[in-house]
Amino acid sequence: KSADWHVDAPANGGMVKLNMTVNYNFIPDRVTDLYEKFNGMDGDQIVDTMVQNSIIAYIKEVTPQFSVMDIYSDKVSKTITEYLNTKLADEYGINISSALIIDVQLDEALQEKVKAKEQAKQDAEKAELDKQTAIAQGEADKARAEAAAAVTITNAKAEAEAKAAAEKKAKLDGLKDASDEKVAALAQELGINPAECKDLADVRKKVKAALSK
């Protein structure tokens, strides 16, 4: 058999309204004793007049062990079922197969508290996500900046090398028509000492060799 009850029960954090369905059966070996103990009452009468109040009282003894949020879990139903069996088997000869919480309602103050807790949790998760996103963005920006700097350096180096090569080529091209004075100055610039050369032709030869490297 089953019975539905509404229970205003205390939980760790406030009161909750439970809508419950309790599935039960009388233990066959106890039926005769119960009939005598309760002056000929049948099972339904025993449940309606006595067991119902006991069940509600026992449920209220269990729920304070759990927080308001935990009341929604299957663990609570299982704990209530086990507790009812320890109490009702000896007292009324009843076996509880399940005590199911069908619905949980919170008072307005608790609803606001739960909403605030959930909002705080969501805000904390969003803040952490924003933090990780910012870190990732910062690392990405740094990598891009480093890559851009490397490209700039490479381009500047290539440009400088191209400029130096162009200048060297221009000097090499102008060497044929350059005056002896200009060749001597160019030799000095290239680290060649004209005094150590055999003659001006030797100076030009060495200058040309240096510019051709």
Side-chain angles (χ1 to χ4, degrees):
K1 291 186 175 183
S2 65
D4 298 326
W5 284 301
H6 172 79
V7 184
D8 291 328
N12 185 359
M15 294 294 294
V16 293
K17 300 178 184 295
L18 305 179
N19 291 321
M20 300 194 63
T21 295
V22 178
N23 297 295
Y24 67 93
N25 63 276
F26 284 92
I27 300 171
D29 294 344
R30 297 289 307 282
V31 172
T32 301
D33 293 340
L34 293 172
Y35 184 82
E36 295 175 355
K37 180 178 179 180
F38 295 107
N39 300 317
M41 286 186 181
D42 63 23
D44 291 338
Q45 289 176 315
I46 294 173
V47 170
D48 292 340
T49 59
M50 300 180 181
V51 176
Q52 173 177 282
N53 292 333
S54 294
I55 286 179
I56 291 174
Y58 293 146
I59 289 172
K60 290 181 178 181
E61 292 178 8
V62 173
T63 53
Q65 304 173 33
F66 301 94
S67 70
V68 171
M69 297 304 297
D70 288 339
I71 291 294
Y72 293 88
S73 69
D74 292 338
K75 183 179 180 181
V76 179
S77 293
K78 181 179 179 181
T79 303
I80 291 174
T81 299
E82 293 173 349
Y83 189 68
L84 291 179
N85 273 317
T86 64
K87 294 293 187 179
L88 300 179
D90 291 337
E91 189 173 357
Y92 297 109
I94 290 178
N95 173 68
I96 304 296
S97 57
S98 64
L100 305 175
I101 298 175
I102 305 303
D103 183 45
V104 180
Q105 297 177 357
L106 311 178
D107 60 32
E108 290 186 6
L110 271 178
Q111 289 180 18
E112 291 303 317
K113 184 177 179 180
V114 170
K115 287 181 181 178
K117 183 177 180 180
E118 287 299 312
Q119 186 62 51
K121 180 181 178 182
Q122 292 175 11
D123 291 344
E125 290 174 348
K126 183 178 184 300
E128 180 62 23
L129 178 60
D130 290 344
K131 177 183 176 182
Q132 295 301 325
T133 301
I135 292 174
Q137 185 63 49
E139 291 176 348
D141 291 344
K142 180 181 178 182
R144 281 195 292 270
E146 291 175 348
V151 170
T152 299
I153 292 172
T154 300
N155 289 341
K157 183 177 180 181
E159 184 178 344
E161 290 175 348
K163 182 179 180 182
E167 291 176 350
K168 185 181 287 188
K169 185 176 185 302
K171 292 176 181 179
L172 183 60
D173 291 343
L175 182 62
K176 181 179 179 180
D177 299 323
S179 64
D180 292 340
E181 291 79 6
K182 189 173 183 180
V183 172
L186 188 55
Q188 293 286 353
E189 183 181 327
L190 294 172
I192 299 170
N193 186 355
E196 296 177 353
C197 297
K198 298 177 181 180
D199 50 29
L200 289 175
D202 189 33
V203 174
R204 285 180 180 273
K205 181 180 179 182
K206 290 183 177 180
V207 169
K208 182 178 180 180
L211 292 175
S212 299
K213 291 180 180 179

